[in-house]
Amino acid sequence: MRSAISLADYVAFYVDCAVTFICYALSFCLAVHIICGARAKNKELRNKPGPNTNARTLTHIFNRFNVLLILMGVSIATCCLFEAFCVDGSPLPNATPQYWLPVVFSLSSFEACYTTYAWSRSAPILKQRHRYLYATMYMLSIVNPVFFLIQFVIACLLVAGKLPIVYFRVWGPIVLLSLFLFDAILVLAFTQHLQENSCTSSNDGNVSTVEYNTQVGLDRTKLSIVARHGIWSCVSLASCLVLDFLSQLVPTMGPYLNLLNSFALVFASLSVGILFVMKLRLDSCRIKRNSRCSGSLVRPINSV
C-alpha cells in the first residue's frame, strides 16, 4: 500500500465522480423515458379490449430489459462512487473495507445484469442462424452470474480474514476471461448477422415504408439495431476488461492502479450508454412503425 496519494490518484478521483454523476443522470433520464412511454402505452391499451389495463402498463414498465438497463447504470454509478474513496492505490484497501466491498458488489451486479441483458437481446439473433453459438451463450449466461457471485463471496471472506488475497487475484482473471469470451462470441454473431442481411436490409432509419409496416420488416430492423449497437457495446466493455486485466496482473501498474480502474469504469459506463441509445432507437422504431400503420389505415377511409 502506498503512503502518499499521487496526481494519478487525484485524477482517478475526479474521473470517478464524473462517471458517477453521468451514470446516475442517465439512469434517471431512462426511468423518465420509460414512465412517459408507459403513459402513452396506457392510453393505447385503454382503447383495446383486455384485462386490467393498469396491470399491463406495469408489466410494460417493469419488463426485464428496462429493469436490467437501469440496474446496470445504477451499479456502475455506485461502483464509481465508492471507488472514489479508495485512493490509496492498493488492490485490496484493508483499511477501508466498507468502501471496497460495495465496489466489488456493484461491479459483480453490473456484470451479472450485463450478461443477462446481452443474452436476452442477442438470443433471437443467435437462435436464428447460429444455433451452435446459441447453446454456448446459453451456458455462459447461466455460469457467468455464478462466477460474479463467487467473486463477491471471496471478497467478503477476504475482508473477514478467512481467505488469503491470492484467491481473489486468481478468481478475478477467471471472471474477466469468461466475460471476454462472452463478448467475443456476441461480436462474432452480430457481425455475421449484419453481413448476411446487408443485401436485404438497409440502414435502421431507411427501411422502405412497405417493409417497415410488416412485422417481418420491423423484426429485421430491430435485430439490425441490436446487432450494430451490440458490437459497439461489446467493444467498449472489452476495453474495460483489458484495463481491468492490466491492473490486476501487471505489477508495474501499481502507481497508476486507481487511474486504470477509473478509465475501465469509463469504458463500462460507455457500454451502458450505448445500450441506453439502443433502447431509445428500438422504441423510436416501434413508434414510427405504429404511426405509419395507423396512417395507412386512415388514408383509405378519408379518401372515400
Side-chain angles (χ1 to χ4, degrees):
M1 183 182 298
R2 300 198 313 271
S3 58
I5 298 176
S6 67
L7 176 62
D9 292 327
Y10 281 113
V11 174
F13 172 80
Y14 289 113
V15 169
D16 285 334
C17 291
V19 174
T20 298
F21 174 78
I22 292 171
C23 286
Y24 275 134
L26 283 175
S27 300
F28 176 77
C29 291
L30 179 63
V32 171
H33 170 75
I34 292 171
I35 292 173
C36 292
R39 291 183 62 184
K41 186 73 174 178
N42 187 50
K43 293 179 181 178
E44 178 185 336
L45 291 174
R46 289 185 185 279
N47 298 325
K48 297 181 179 179
N52 202 333
T53 300
N54 291 331
R56 287 189 290 170
T57 303
L58 289 176
T59 302
H60 175 77
I61 294 175
F62 295 105
N63 68 63
R64 68 180 183 276
F65 296 119
N66 293 341
V67 172
L68 289 172
L69 202 50
I70 291 177
L71 284 177
M72 278 191 282
V74 172
S75 296
I76 285 295
T78 304
C79 182
C80 291
L81 178 64
F82 282 99
E83 190 170 282
F85 295 99
C86 301
V87 293
D88 58 359
S90 172
L92 176 62
N94 290 309
T96 57
Q98 68 272 25
Y99 297 141
W100 186 69
L101 281 180
V103 168
V104 179
F105 176 75
S106 300
L107 199 55
S108 299
S109 299
F110 164 74
E111 291 164 345
C113 291
Y114 173 84
T115 302
T116 306
Y117 183 90
W119 159 250
S120 300
R121 283 296 189 194
S122 62
I125 293 176
L126 294 169
K127 194 172 184 179
Q128 192 177 63
R129 292 184 176 86
H130 311 283
R131 293 190 178 275
Y132 63 99
L133 290 179
Y134 180 85
T136 304
M137 292 297 286
Y138 178 73
M139 292 302 300
L140 285 175
S141 68
I142 297 174
V143 171
N144 276 356
V146 176
F147 280 178
F148 307 145
L149 176 62
I150 293 175
Q151 177 180 244
F152 177 66
V153 172
I154 291 175
C156 291
L157 293 175
L158 199 56
V159 170
K162 304 295 184 181
L163 287 176
I165 192 173
V166 66
Y167 283 89
F168 190 82
R169 288 177 175 170
V170 169
W171 194 257
I174 293 175
V175 171
L176 294 178
L177 288 174
S178 66
L179 197 53
F180 193 88
L181 175 63
F182 187 87
D183 266 358
I185 295 176
L186 281 181
V187 170
L188 175 63
F190 290 152
T191 303
Q192 289 182 354
H193 175 80
L194 291 175
Q195 289 176 343
E196 291 172 2
N197 287 275
S198 60
C199 297
T200 56
S201 297
S202 56
N203 292 334
D204 301 343
N206 299 325
V207 182
S208 65
T209 303
V210 174
E211 182 183 358
Y212 209 97
N213 288 344
T214 65
Q215 187 61 41
V216 174
L218 176 64
D219 290 342
R220 183 161 47 193
T221 302
K222 289 171 66 176
L223 291 180
S224 295
I225 293 173
V226 170
R228 288 191 180 93
H229 290 78
I231 290 174
W232 288 109
S233 178
C234 289
V235 170
S236 297
L237 190 64
S239 302
C240 165
L241 297 177
V242 169
L243 293 178
D244 203 359
F245 191 82
L246 289 175
S247 69
Q248 291 191 32
L249 295 184
V250 181
T252 56
M253 293 295 178
Y256 305 99
L257 178 65
N258 287 315
L259 194 60
L260 280 174
N261 289 336
S262 296
F263 277 104
L265 291 176
V266 167
F267 282 110
S269 62
L270 179 61
S271 177
V272 176
I274 292 170
L275 296 178
F276 281 4
V277 174
M278 182 177 74
K279 159 72 177 173
L280 296 178
R281 296 199 68 181
L282 288 172
D283 288 347
S284 175
C285 174
R286 176 179 52 82
I287 292 170
K288 287 180 180 178
R289 191 258 180 177
N290 290 341
S291 63
R292 288 179 179 179
C293 286
S294 61
S296 64
L297 291 175
V298 170
R299 280 192 294 272
I301 297 175
N302 292 338
S303 61
V304 174

